[in-house]
Structures are given as structure tokens and as C-alpha cells.
Amino acid sequence: MSFSFRRFFSFFCFFVFVLITRAQTVDVNGLSYSIDSKSLTASLVGISTLSSSDVVIDDEIVIDKVSFTVTSIGKKAFYNSSVSSVTIPNSIILIGDQAFYNCSALRKVVLEDGSSLLTFNSPTSSCFGSSNDSSNNLKSLYVGRSFDFTYHSPFSYQPNLVDVLIGPFVSSLPANFLDHDTALTSLTIPSNVQSLGSSAFDFCENLTNVVFVDEGSKLLSIPSYGFRGCSKL
């Protein structure tokens, strides 16, 4: 075997090894994950055989007795699916573009309590949106930690959202947080919230009652356009 061939063969074996160990797709409990054996992390990339419409995403998965922390949901992972509720663990720090786009059956979203910042990477459109806003049927939202987004707010233009609860670990509410959520009538902002983004509640036209919890409040100011168009306040 010539030296050049041995070198090529060694390189080829190493390349195959990297492909096998670094990027591998597995199915766990009806969901597909891409796992990285070097960082021991996993990204939820889609649905495989899941039959339930109520999805509770695990914070870790175990493959061959090795644990992988689930840190992201990939682009279009649940695109156009029939999921009706989803619980997202605090291990996830990134949700990809259109991850839940066109999920017209989706009624409930839970972002579990946590201190790590969650980022919605949404350059194309809202992660929980649709091609027609009237098809957005989200009704209940629990926000257990702070989040930001790259372009489109994940929970704006939700015309059927009526139940929003903000948890004790949320320190900030981003710009355009719930803007144009026209069914929302009441909201409580707990004392742990330190800042409100611009236009956070723009044109929530039926919002009639907002409670700011005073005891121990860390909120310093309300932006001038925080409640623009909320004509019933």
C-alpha cells in the first residue's frame, strides 16, 4: 500500500468517523433528534412516529446509555403539524425559523421556568405564526423565562390568545411581545419583571385590565409605546 493511498484511506476513515459521531439522527418517543456526540447535545428536528398532539419535549434524551441535553428546536421542526399543545423545557436556548409555523391546531404553549435566555431565530416569519393571521388559534401561553427574537415576535398577531401567565423567573418582556393580540382582556405583570420592550402590547384592543404587582417590583419605567392602541385601558 503506497504512502499516498494510506494517507487517503486514513483521512477517509476519519471523515466517516466524524460523520457518525458528530451528526447522527435518532428517533426518541416519536420525535427526531440530531445529536452531537462531541458536545453531548441534541436538536429536535422533526416528528417521526408521534401520535399524540400534546407534545412535552424532554430536556435530555438517552442513546446507548449516553445522555444528550436537548438545546434547540430546528427550523420547521413542527411545520404544518397537528400539534395542539407543546411544553418547551428550560434546556432549550434556540428555536429555529418557522418551527411551529402553520400549526392551526396549536392551542397551548408552555415555556418552562428557567434563568437561561431563549432566542427565537425568526428571520422569515413568526415561529408560531401562519400564512394567515386568522389561522393562529393559540389560546393559552405560559412564559417561564425571558426570551428574545431576531425579527418576528413569536407571540404577536395571535387573535385568539386570551390566557397569558408570566412566571417568576422572567426579568424582561421583549419589544412587540403581544402586539395585536386582540382577544386579550387582562394581564398581570409580576414584580420580577424589570423591563418592558417598546410596543410590547400595541393594539391589544380589548385589553381592559393590567395589574402591575407593586410589592418588590423591579420595573423602573413603562415605554411610551408600550400600550399604544389599547383604547379600552
Side-chain angles (χ1 to χ4, degrees), residues 36-229:
D36 187 320
S37 296
K38 185 175 182 180
S39 63
L40 296 180
T41 59
S43 176
L44 198 167
V45 295
I47 297 173
S48 55
T49 59
L50 185 71
S51 58
S52 174
S53 62
D54 298 314
V55 179
V56 178
I57 300 171
D58 295 323
D59 59 357
E60 71 173 18
I61 57 175
V62 178
I63 307 297
D64 295 330
K65 298 182 180 180
V66 178
S67 296
F68 295 84
T69 303
V70 181
T71 58
S72 64
I73 299 174
K75 179 179 180 179
K76 294 187 175 182
F78 291 88
Y79 185 91
N80 205 32
S81 72
S82 58
V83 58
S84 62
S85 70
V86 61
T87 299
I88 298 172
N90 58 33
S91 62
I92 289 178
I93 58 174
L94 179 66
I95 297 181
D97 195 23
Q98 296 186 321
F100 295 89
Y101 195 75
N102 272 350
C103 293
S104 59
L106 186 60
R107 300 291 190 272
K108 181 179 181 181
V109 172
V110 174
L111 306 181
E112 288 190 337
D113 289 345
S115 57
S116 59
L117 182 69
L118 172 62
T119 297
F120 290 88
N121 181 29
S122 49
T124 304
S125 56
S126 170
C127 288
F128 292 96
S130 65
S131 54
N132 185 343
D133 292 338
S134 63
S135 297
N136 296 338
N137 292 310
L138 184 65
K139 294 183 180 296
S140 175
L141 171 65
Y142 177 77
V143 180
R145 56 181 169 140
S146 300
F147 68 88
D148 62 12
F149 55 91
T150 55
Y151 187 72
H152 296 275
S153 175
F155 303 115
S156 61
Y157 290 89
Q158 296 288 341
N160 296 294
L161 184 60
V162 295
D163 181 22
V164 177
L165 182 61
I166 300 168
F169 293 94
V170 178
S171 61
S172 63
L173 299 174
N176 304 104
F177 172 40
L178 299 175
D179 76 276
H180 287 84
D181 288 356
T182 53
L184 191 65
T185 60
S186 65
L187 181 70
T188 297
I189 298 178
S191 60
N192 44 279
V193 173
Q194 300 177 32
S195 64
L196 296 179
S198 176
S199 304
F201 305 99
D202 271 12
F203 298 100
C204 292
E205 297 173 350
N206 289 300
L207 189 61
T208 59
N209 184 40
V210 178
V211 176
F212 292 88
V213 178
D214 291 333
E215 185 175 354
S217 179
K218 299 177 181 178
L219 184 65
L220 298 177
S221 63
I222 299 174
S224 56
Y225 289 109
F227 293 89
R228 179 178 54 177

Side-chain angles (χ1 to χ4, degrees), residues 6-19:
R6 286 199 305 270
R7 186 166 62 178
F8 170 79
F9 184 74
S10 297
F11 175 78
F12 176 78
C13 290
F14 174 76
F15 179 72
V16 172
F17 173 79
V18 169
L19 287 179

